[in-house]
Amino acid sequence: MGANYELLIKNLRNRRFDEAKSEPIISDAFSHRGYPNALRYALESMLEIDHSYSYKVFSITKKIQDSIEAGLAKAPVKINFRYDGPIQTDTHITLFGDVTLLTLIEPQTDKPWQEIQFLIREIINIMKGLKYVQKSGFSNQHEIAVLTEKPSCRINIQPAIWLNNRSYLETKREIERGICEYRFGEKTRRSYLPFKSIARINAKDDRTGGGLKRMIRLLRTLQNDAENPILLEAHEINAMVYDIPERQLKFLPNQSLSLLSVVSAQLTRLCSDKKYYESLRAPSEQEIIFGSKPKQKEIAKLKGQLDHLMNDLQGILRRESKDFYSEILY
């Protein structure tokens, strides 16, 4: 049974709906090219969201930041704020959201997880007192999810500690600085270099003519629209696509579908090559992404979504004597 592309198009439009304008923010080509829904869904999903909406998201996030700062003014912790998440690499797929507000502290004791637990409790209490916050919660046990009003904006607040690793101490360049978050539900912690990964994704995307980020957006869209949950995090999808050789990710504007088979092959490799899967690193080249974590089934589910889309697109293209490398204007 084929995918319900009318529903998928509806999902896409809802993610990009501007409440103030009472309309979705989509490209002119989406409405005027006259392409079948499967092709419109694929091509539109690859496009970046207008930067003016990113500025609005950052403005809302700064409002949250100011509230936390004021609420913790007398607390025995000094907090730094930074931004992370798909919005930092323009791989976000929602008009308002996909941003993570990092709330970072220098640990003062030999039990930093207790300091993070204190920070989490305080921030949750602060969020409950804000009129512009519709709801907030700590369901995944490592970050606080916040939904604001007017516009409805989803913001993740990630309490974490600074890691002053050797590279940072030697260079004093913040791009080299790490952070550590505590995942209390799993009783684990994750140490990583978010700013280096962001910089490297942005740089590689420039070198590939936008191919890297287009494929990340498409995979995140397929994940978001899957009927059954695909339990992969944004940084995991970033790493899977980032590790594709640069020459294979080159984007040609009139061959928008030419990278689909490259990404499908990458997902196949991650599913079948255990050694490669276990050794995959983040764009920072420091963090092991999967290691022994059992996520190959989740990757296989994502590959299934992509391959299903590709099969549907092949049927459309074949009727016009075209393939994924044919010229398609959008």
Side-chain angles (χ1 to χ4, degrees):
M1 184 176 178
N4 183 348
Y5 286 101
E6 287 189 11
L7 176 60
L8 295 177
I9 289 290
K10 182 180 179 181
N11 292 345
L12 188 152
R13 292 167 68 95
N14 287 342
R15 283 192 294 270
R16 302 187 181 196
F17 191 79
D18 184 336
E19 297 169 15
K21 294 182 177 180
S22 295
E23 63 181 17
I25 305 304
I26 50 182
S27 68
D28 291 339
F30 182 86
S31 302
H32 299 127
R33 280 287 173 191
Y35 289 145
N37 278 346
L39 189 53
R40 291 200 301 163
Y41 175 73
L43 295 173
E44 190 72 17
S45 296
M46 297 179 195
L47 299 184
E48 69 180 7
I49 288 174
D50 190 301
H51 287 181
S52 64
Y53 288 93
S54 300
Y55 300 143
K56 292 177 183 178
V57 173
F58 285 125
S59 176
I60 298 164
T61 308
K62 181 62 165 61
K63 194 174 178 181
I64 294 280
Q65 174 183 324
D66 291 344
S67 297
I68 295 172
E69 203 162 25
L72 293 174
K74 296 182 180 179
V77 290
K78 182 181 179 182
I79 300 178
N80 296 148
F81 297 94
R82 300 291 187 274
Y83 297 109
D84 195 10
I87 201 169
Q88 287 292 81
T89 52
D90 287 326
T91 54
H92 50 303
I93 62 172
T94 61
L95 206 62
F96 295 106
D98 276 344
V99 61
T100 297
L101 176 63
L102 298 172
T103 56
L104 297 156
I105 60 172
E106 296 271 9
Q108 303 299 313
T109 70
D110 59 356
K111 296 180 179 179
W113 60 90
Q114 292 182 351
E115 298 175 66
I116 293 298
Q117 287 174 328
F118 165 80
L119 193 58
I120 289 166
R121 289 193 297 270
E122 292 298 306
I123 292 174
I124 288 174
N125 286 333
I126 291 168
M127 292 302 104
K128 288 178 180 177
L130 300 179
K131 292 182 179 179
Y132 59 87
V133 170
Q134 288 188 48
K135 59 182 179 180
S136 61
F138 190 58
S139 59
N140 66 8
Q141 296 296 298
H142 73 89
E143 62 186 1
I144 301 161
V146 175
L147 179 65
T148 66
E149 293 181 339
K150 296 182 181 179
S152 296
C153 181
R154 297 183 182 278
I155 298 167
N156 293 321
I157 304 172
Q158 179 63 73
I161 63 171
W162 283 115
L163 293 179
N164 296 325
N165 46 297
R166 180 181 295 179
S167 295
Y168 170 70
L169 293 174
E170 289 175 353
T171 65
K172 296 301 180 183
R173 296 171 64 229
E174 188 164 283
I175 195 173
E176 302 287 349
R177 202 175 191 187
I179 72 172
C180 176
E181 65 187 44
Y182 290 87
R183 301 191 164 205
F184 295 103
E186 304 166 9
K187 297 183 179 178
T188 61
R189 63 183 181 180
R190 178 186 169 216
S191 299
Y192 58 108
L193 279 66
F195 315 118
K196 198 166 194 176
S197 284
I198 289 167
R200 287 190 167 169
I201 289 171
N202 289 336
K204 185 166 182 174
D205 187 67
D206 287 342
R207 297 194 299 271
T208 60
L212 170 61
K213 293 182 182 180
R214 282 173 178 266
M215 292 302 99
I216 291 173
R217 292 185 203 108
L218 179 61
L219 289 185
R220 294 195 66 238
T221 297
L222 291 171
Q223 176 195 28
N224 196 281
D225 289 338
E227 288 185 12
N228 298 312
I230 299 175
L231 304 178
L232 292 168
E233 298 184 41
H235 74 275
E236 293 169 338
I237 292 176
N238 289 350
M240 292 191 298
V241 183
Y242 181 89
D243 208 53
I244 298 172
E246 197 171 296
R247 57 185 170 77
Q248 295 181 31
L249 276 175
K250 291 282 186 180
F251 174 73
L252 301 174
N254 293 338
Q255 295 180 356
S256 298
L257 301 177
S258 62
L259 297 178
L260 298 186
S261 57
V262 173
V263 176
S264 180
Q266 171 70 348
L267 298 183
T268 297
R269 184 183 181 191
L270 285 159
C271 289
S272 60
D273 187 336
K274 185 177 180 182
K275 184 176 180 181
Y276 176 62
Y277 165 84
E278 292 178 346
S279 63
L280 183 72
R281 289 184 178 269
S284 67
E285 298 180 358
Q286 298 298 312
E287 176 194 2
I288 294 288
I289 293 295
F290 296 117
S292 61
K293 289 187 286 188
K295 289 215 172 181
Q296 282 178 298
K297 288 184 179 180
E298 304 304 317
I299 298 172
K301 287 194 283 186
L302 183 58
K303 174 178 163 53
Q305 293 293 116
L306 176 60
D307 289 351
H308 193 104
L309 173 64
M310 290 174 65
N311 287 336
D312 291 342
L313 293 174
Q314 278 182 324
I316 292 169
L317 296 170
R318 196 178 296 121
R319 290 194 289 271
E320 298 183 11
S321 300
K322 293 182 178 181
D323 58 26
F324 288 138
Y325 300 94
S326 299
E327 182 178 76
I328 297 175
L329 301 177
Y330 195 75

